[in-house]
Amino acid sequence: MPSEQVYSLLFQSRDGASSLYILFGGIVDPVSSRIDRFEVVAVGNSELINIPLSGTTYKDITNICQKIKYEGKQLKNLTNKLQELFQNSGRSDDFMEQLIHYINKREDEKIRYLINQIQNQAMGNSKPDISLWYSLIDRDKIDEAGSGKSSFETLDSEEAHEESAPEELPTIPIGVPTGIDASIPPTAARVQFKFILSPVSGIPVNQLKPGDQIVVQLTGNDPTTLGIIDSMKLKTEDGSIKPIPATVVATENKGVENETIIKIGNDVFGKIYEEENSIKVRLYTGEKPVSSKSGQTSSAASNASLEAGESSLLLTVLIALGVVGIGMIAIFVFLL
């Protein structure tokens, strides 16, 4: 049963060096140790998220994020990647245990560290300036807008009050996926992965269809993906990750953008975004891929075997010649 009080967690991340700015608002349930719902958006213009977090509510952040997305001002791929990463982290027991502990203890620097670990998976190693604001609120006040709402430039226009305005759309909880995400069971593990490409014989990514068997490689440092890599023993001695077969579950093509959901086994799913229709994905034919390293090892073993055989043959010939020589000497001595 959900708790009566939850944390409203808001943050802004500003990385001026790479011109990447992120706005996030989430509802954290301290009893179930889950992120109930959240909104996140990444932009290239800091002015779009230039708002004071103090006095701002989760609903306010939701309104701003949805408006930015509706107007097409977000960095879509980065926003989608962050959406997926925070969704996975919100279901991770280890991550949530740390997050709630740090919130309870008000250890802001450690909260910033956790947030930055997620962001780095999407945007590479960086040290952004992260502003935090969190407070305990009653669950029935989650959808209330704050008193500071009228000061947000992004919400000042009259269209913000129209019925069709994006900020009037209901907030979608994590547990209620839409679009092709609905093909992923809510209890399934979600991993990060990349396609294994085959420029000659592969299938174009925009031609993938449900049921296709392809080859993928798990990537990322989130707890879920690392756990699957360990359980399937995919990491080799040199630290590389073995490619594995996967089944396409759902696809969606939006011009040059493609979204693909794959399934590995019965309860492991993954989703990927691609912006190029020209890339070709390797189809799974049932054959195990042979790495160059294993090929070199096999060749070396064959050479060693051949050399051993040649040495054995030479030794046999020398022994035979020795026996013949002894015999001839014996005969010669006998005749004398």
Side-chain angles (χ1 to χ4, degrees), residues 11-12 27 56 62 97 126 137 148 180 189 197 294 310:
F11 78 78
Q12 294 167 324
I27 298 298
T56 302
T62 298
E97 181 180 352
S126 62
I137 62 172
I180 65 173
L197 305 182
S294 64
E310 291 174 346

Side-chain angles (χ1 to χ4, degrees), residues 252-271:
E252 186 173 355
N253 178 260
K254 300 175 182 177
V256 295
E257 294 183 344
N258 299 275
E259 298 181 5
T260 307
I261 289 180
I262 57 100
K263 179 173 71 171
I264 302 167
N266 294 324
D267 55 359
V268 179
F269 288 73
K271 180 178 178 180

Side-chain angles (χ1 to χ4, degrees), residues 48-249:
L48 294 173
I49 63 166
N50 190 22
I51 58 171
L53 294 182
S54 176
T56 302
T57 68
Y58 168 74
K59 180 64 176 177
D60 296 333
I61 297 297
T62 298
N63 290 341
I64 296 170
C65 289
Q66 290 181 350
K67 185 174 179 64
I68 290 173
K69 293 175 183 178
Y70 178 78
E71 294 177 344
K73 296 179 180 178
Q74 87 277 24
L75 300 174
K76 188 173 182 181
N77 280 350
L78 181 55
T79 297
N80 289 338
K81 187 64 175 177
L82 289 168
Q83 180 85 21
E84 186 171 344
L85 290 171
F86 277 108
Q87 181 167 307
N88 288 337
S89 297
R91 292 171 174 166
S92 166
D93 293 336
D94 180 61
F95 176 86
M96 292 306 301
E97 181 180 352
Q98 293 183 69
L99 177 62
I100 293 173
H101 174 75
Y102 295 148
I103 290 177
N104 288 335
K105 298 294 184 180
R106 304 194 69 82
E107 298 186 52
D108 292 0
E109 284 307 312
K110 292 183 179 179
I111 297 173
R112 291 187 180 95
Y113 174 79
L114 286 179
I115 291 171
N116 198 37
Q117 290 304 298
I118 296 176
Q119 293 185 163
N120 282 347
Q121 295 180 49
M123 48 195 280
N125 292 329
S126 62
K127 295 182 179 180
D129 178 22
I130 298 177
S131 303
L132 281 175
W133 180 265
Y134 50 92
S135 59
L136 200 60
I137 62 172
D138 294 333
R139 182 173 285 277
D140 57 8
K141 294 183 179 180
I142 291 176
D143 293 322
E144 290 185 4
S147 58
K149 178 178 177 181
S150 60
S151 67
F152 301 158
E153 292 183 3
T154 53
L155 299 177
D156 278 345
S157 63
E158 293 183 1
E159 65 179 5
H161 303 287
E162 297 177 3
E163 264 187 51
S164 58
E167 52 269 28
E168 297 300 325
L169 296 174
T171 301
I172 300 172
I174 290 179
V176 186
T178 60
I180 65 173
D181 288 285
S183 60
I184 301 179
T187 58
R190 293 188 61 154
V191 296
Q192 299 178 58
F193 72 97
K194 67 179 181 179
F195 292 126
I196 297 297
L197 305 182
S198 180
V200 177
S201 59
I203 181 173
V205 65
N206 63 339
Q207 294 181 20
L208 289 173
K209 59 185 182 300
D212 284 344
Q213 299 283 313
I214 60 174
V215 182
V216 302
Q217 183 181 51
L218 299 189
T219 61
N221 294 316
D222 62 288
T224 301
T225 303
L226 291 176
I228 298 300
I229 289 173
D230 289 340
S231 64
M232 297 182 69
K233 301 186 185 327
L234 298 179
K235 184 172 287 189
T236 63
E237 292 182 0
D238 62 2
S240 60
I241 307 301
K242 300 176 186 175
I244 55 174
T247 302
V248 176
V249 174

Side-chain angles (χ1 to χ4, degrees), residues 252-300:
E252 186 173 355
N253 178 260
K254 300 175 182 177
V256 295
E257 294 183 344
N258 299 275
E259 298 181 5
T260 307
I261 289 180
I262 57 100
K263 179 173 71 171
I264 302 167
N266 294 324
D267 55 359
V268 179
F269 288 73
K271 180 178 178 180
I272 194 170
Y273 301 87
E274 286 291 348
E275 287 189 328
E276 295 184 22
N277 290 330
S278 59
I279 69 169
K280 291 186 177 182
V281 182
R282 181 185 301 177
L283 291 171
Y284 177 63
T285 61
E287 298 179 0
K288 289 185 178 181
V290 179
S291 66
S292 59
K293 183 176 180 180
S294 64
Q296 292 169 1
T297 302
S298 175
S299 176

